[in-house]
Amino acid sequence: MSEREPFRIQVKVRHYELDTLGHLNHAVYHSYGEVARIEAMEQASGGRDNLRTENLSGVLLESHIVYRREIRGGDVVEVTAEFEFGDGKVFHATHQICKLDGTLAAEITCTLGLMDLERRKLVDDPRGRLERAGFDLKVLTTSD
């Protein structure tokens, strides 16, 4: 089994994302995780919207965050996105938000699924569905 680096994206903290203490607002951390997830999925799909043609969409079922260090206006952070698939209808994403000096500022864990937009139900085997839709899962996962 070979290990790869997780997907990464850099984000600059904007002043309107700060709370009254001058820290990054708690909800924005979640937004940064979502930005990383969406960008990783877009890259894995090759820019194609094959899920929509199959009447599927990713859905966020749960999100949990642990705050480690403060982030302030003007900081640039790196946000990772790494997906883990198992059996069943759900899969998981983890994100690390790090300052450019490597300081871990927050960790986010998410539970996700693929929803059949007509039936409004989660589908079985989301990994297989993504693969059949042409997704390169090497972009999303760090192991084979």
Side-chain angles (χ1 to χ4, degrees):
M1 182 186 302
S2 63
E3 292 289 323
R4 292 180 293 281
E5 288 290 314
F7 177 87
R8 306 174 180 282
I9 188 167
Q10 286 189 353
V11 180
K12 182 176 181 181
V13 177
R14 295 165 300 266
H15 71 280
Y16 59 83
E17 296 174 324
L18 305 179
D19 63 18
T20 58
L21 299 174
H23 303 129
L24 186 65
N25 180 280
H26 64 93
V28 179
Y29 286 83
H30 288 284
S31 293
Y32 287 2
E34 185 163 0
V35 166
R37 276 194 309 280
I38 289 170
E39 292 290 330
M41 293 292 278
E42 185 174 301
Q43 184 175 326
S45 75
R48 297 176 304 276
D49 201 6
N50 292 350
L51 286 181
R52 283 287 183 188
T53 60
E54 293 190 30
N55 210 28
L56 297 174
S57 181
V59 291
L60 178 65
L61 302 170
E62 180 179 277
S63 185
H64 176 77
I65 190 164
V66 177
Y67 303 97
R68 303 283 184 197
R69 296 288 182 270
E70 68 180 1
I71 297 175
R72 302 185 61 87
D75 286 350
V76 176
V77 295
E78 187 170 73
V79 186
T80 64
E82 184 176 351
F83 296 76
E84 184 178 323
F85 297 90
D87 298 330
K89 295 181 179 184
V90 300
F91 57 104
H92 299 90
T94 58
H95 306 285
Q96 290 189 338
I97 301 176
C98 295
K99 296 181 179 190
L100 292 184
D101 68 3
T103 302
L104 179 62
E107 297 169 286
I108 303 171
T109 55
C110 301
T111 303
L112 305 147
L114 284 180
M115 179 181 279
D116 178 315
L117 295 175
E118 187 174 311
R119 293 179 38 239
R120 309 306 287 182
K121 301 280 184 187
L122 296 180
V123 300
D124 291 322
D125 188 24
R127 179 188 184 110
R129 297 296 290 262
L130 289 170
E131 286 177 319
R132 288 190 295 281
F135 279 68
D136 179 0
L137 295 186
K138 291 178 182 170
V139 173
L140 304 178
T141 61
T142 58
S143 61
D144 292 327

